[in-house]
Amino acid sequence: MKKAIALLLCLVLAAAMIGCEQSGNNSSEPTKAPTSAATPTVAPTDAPTDAPTDEPVATPTTAPTEAPKERTKVSVAVLKGPTAIGMLKLMSDDETETSANDYDFTVAGAADQLTASIIKGDIPIAAVPCNLAATLYNKTNGGVTIAAVNTLGVLYILDTGDSVQSVADLKGKTIYSTGAGTTPEYTLRHLLTTNGIDPDKDVTIVMLSEASEVAAKMAAAEEEIVAMLPMPFVISVLSQNEKARIALDVTKEWEKTNDSTVVTGVIVINTQYLSDNKATVDAFLDEYAVSTAYATANVDATAELAEHFDIFKAAVAKKAIPYCNIVCLTGAEMKSAVNAYLQVLFDANPASVGGSMPADAIYYNR
């Protein structure tokens, strides 16, 4: 009996355990397997906004503007004549503070007003007569450097009596001119010599201090008068004295007897200043090249600038600029033109270039 009861209890417990196991496997929320179709409803961004990224960060629109670079101050001188014409656009740019450097321009009536300041470096950049550059170089043992040719031939012989038809006709005349000890005087003397005229015996050369004085004298003259003048002063005389005329083009007469042309003006730089301020000088030369090109391409505008800066009246400058041979020759072209011209002057009179031909170091080669 006891064994029967024990067996019955075992069967009851076994049945209970089987029921519990089936109940656990039949819950109302069965677990589902993960699937790749489960996609978020909002697409994720390329990177969290606070996550580091290799992409460059955009500059804020409120970033401060970079301060403009300070312009280098430098003094520049020109003569009141054709050598100033190529500088006019640069003078205008400086006036509006759009030039690369901050220029302080001086306009002088004669070259001797500038020489001391050029040598000392007070005016480190200047437009001067070609032979004066060579003279200063020799006198200062290389204290100046030629950086560019700015003007070729601009000289003309004028008369009021139709008596001068050739250089030979100048014999016995009184010739008024300007530029004592510089390019005009030596050009005239050489022109006379190569045509068989002794400049000290066969003619009387009267050198006045400024071209404007010669122009005024000829414009007002009632008697016959002969003068050598540069453009644009030639135009000024022609417009004021109906008897005046261009008798000879000095450059053409020069080229008849020489394998060179007349080099009227050059740009010189104080050599020490150039050594210490090469970038400033190079910036000037770049701007000057643009300025000279502007002068020849925009005659009317340049003529207005000539009057604005009290170089010439606009009406005079407008007629003269096409005949002023404004250039900006640098490097090998500069050296060739200057050296050939100086050699002719030296052969005629060594004193005209300071006693000796300048060394190649006189030429600036960027």
Side-chain angles (χ1 to χ4, degrees), residues 156-167 169-170 218 225-227 234 238 244-250 253:
Y156 296 83
I157 302 290
L158 287 76
D159 75 359
T160 57
D162 292 337
S163 63
V164 179
Q165 303 298 325
S166 68
V167 176
D169 294 332
L170 293 172
M218 190 162 197
I225 186 172
V226 176
V234 171
L238 296 179
R245 71 180 185 93
I246 296 176
L248 301 171
D249 181 335
V250 172
E253 296 300 325

Side-chain angles (χ1 to χ4, degrees), residues 110-127:
D112 58 8
Q113 298 172 13
L114 303 175
T115 53
S117 296
I118 294 170
I119 292 170
K120 290 189 295 183
D122 294 338
I123 298 178
I125 302 175

